[in-house]
């Protein structure tokens, strides 16, 4: 953590501004004014606003992973994840949005990869050691779909409850994953 809290102030400013308008319409000038810091301080930590967004996404993903540890069953863990995403307001819907047309391909790829990596990490920890190639293949395939469904849910207003989405994603587990997690379903 920085002595002056510049990163935390920028993160709070970003979250507040995203509630009012899309990322595309937020400028670095607005971010630094809302955060009460200088442009120089902003550029000390970030290349551009998308670098800040990616940093915020990584921080929230870490916080979400910690929160999910409170669940004992897969359904509980997933419901915690979706409640966490919902509590962030428009943040996740905005960062997943394809409307961010000026965002670099690297930014978009980093967000998608980040959601996939977080999903793989969760399931790998949840299952334990994975030694079968076929199980790992099914896990990777499932996690791509999981990340896609999470993004779709966030983009379309989070209409399903967290419990319903968790139930649907649990029901979509491939057979080898069901077997590997049978004691925690």
């Amino acid at each position: 953590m920085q002595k002056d809290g510049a990163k935390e102030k920028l993160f709070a400013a970003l979250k507040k501004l995203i509630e009012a308008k899309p990322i595309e319409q937020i400028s670095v000038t607005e971010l630094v004014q809302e955060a009460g810091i200088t442009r120089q301080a902003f550029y000390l930590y970030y290349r551009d606003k998308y670098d800040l967004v990616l940093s915020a996404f990584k921080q929230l993903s870490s916080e979400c992973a910690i929160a999910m540890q409170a669940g004992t069953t897969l359904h509980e863990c997933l419901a915690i994840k979706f409640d966490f995403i919902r509590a962030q307001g428009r943040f996740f819907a905005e960062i997943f949005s394809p409307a961010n047309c000026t965002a670099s391909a690297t930014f978009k790829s980093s967000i998608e990869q980040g959601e996939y990596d977080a999903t793989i990490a969760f399931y790998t920890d949840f299952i334990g050691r994975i030694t079968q190639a076929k199980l790992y293949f099914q896990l990777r395939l499932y996690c791509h779909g999981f990340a896609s469904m999470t993004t779709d849910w966030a983009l379309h207003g989070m209409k399903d409850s967290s419990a319903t989405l968790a139930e649907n994603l649990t029901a979509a587990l491939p057979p080898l994953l069901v077997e590997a997690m049978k004691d925690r379903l």
Side-chain angles (χ1 to χ4, degrees):
M1 184 171 352
Q2 293 65 47
K3 290 179 184 174
D4 63 356
K7 284 186 173 185
E8 292 79 7
K9 290 176 184 176
L10 283 165
F11 183 32
L14 174 66
K15 285 180 70 176
K16 181 177 180 183
L17 291 169
I18 280 178
E19 289 300 319
K21 59 185 168 180
I23 293 171
E24 285 297 306
Q25 296 175 14
I26 298 171
S27 68
V28 171
T29 300
E30 289 174 294
L31 285 164
V32 298
Q33 286 174 347
E34 183 65 38
I37 65 165
T38 65
R39 286 179 73 84
Q40 291 84 358
F42 177 90
Y43 288 111
L44 179 63
Y45 301 112
Y46 304 106
R47 290 183 303 276
D48 55 30
K49 67 182 176 183
Y50 297 108
D51 196 26
L52 168 61
V53 171
L54 184 56
S55 178
F57 173 73
K58 288 177 181 177
Q59 179 180 333
L60 287 172
S61 290
S62 293
E63 291 173 17
C64 182
I66 291 166
M68 290 171 70
Q69 292 174 3
T72 55
T73 67
L74 179 61
H75 186 274
E76 288 173 358
C77 293
L78 297 183
I80 289 167
K81 175 185 177 102
F82 301 125
D83 285 342
F84 183 93
I85 290 172
R86 189 184 300 276
Q88 301 310 311
R90 289 182 27 89
F91 183 83
F92 279 96
E94 251 321 289
I95 64 167
F96 291 144
S97 176
N100 294 317
C101 56
T102 62
S104 71
T106 302
F107 168 76
K108 291 178 182 178
S109 176
S110 294
I111 294 294
E112 291 167 4
Q113 188 65 42
E115 180 58 24
Y116 172 77
D117 289 346
T119 304
I120 282 280
F122 165 74
Y123 277 98
T124 301
D125 288 345
F126 195 80
I127 293 169
R129 188 164 181 234
I130 298 174
T131 57
Q132 297 176 341
K134 198 171 191 178
L135 175 61
Y136 189 62
F137 176 84
Q138 284 189 7
L139 175 63
R140 289 178 30 234
L141 183 66
Y142 174 79
C143 288
H144 277 291
F146 183 103
S148 177
M149 293 307 295
T150 300
T151 300
D152 189 60
W153 176 74
L155 284 173
H156 294 98
M158 304 179 202
K159 292 178 183 143
D160 287 339
S161 70
S162 297
T164 298
L165 187 58
E167 183 178 318
N168 290 342
L169 287 166
T170 302
L173 285 166
L176 287 177
L177 289 175
V178 169
E179 180 61 27
M181 294 186 280
K182 65 183 173 197
D183 296 334
R184 295 189 66 193
L185 291 178

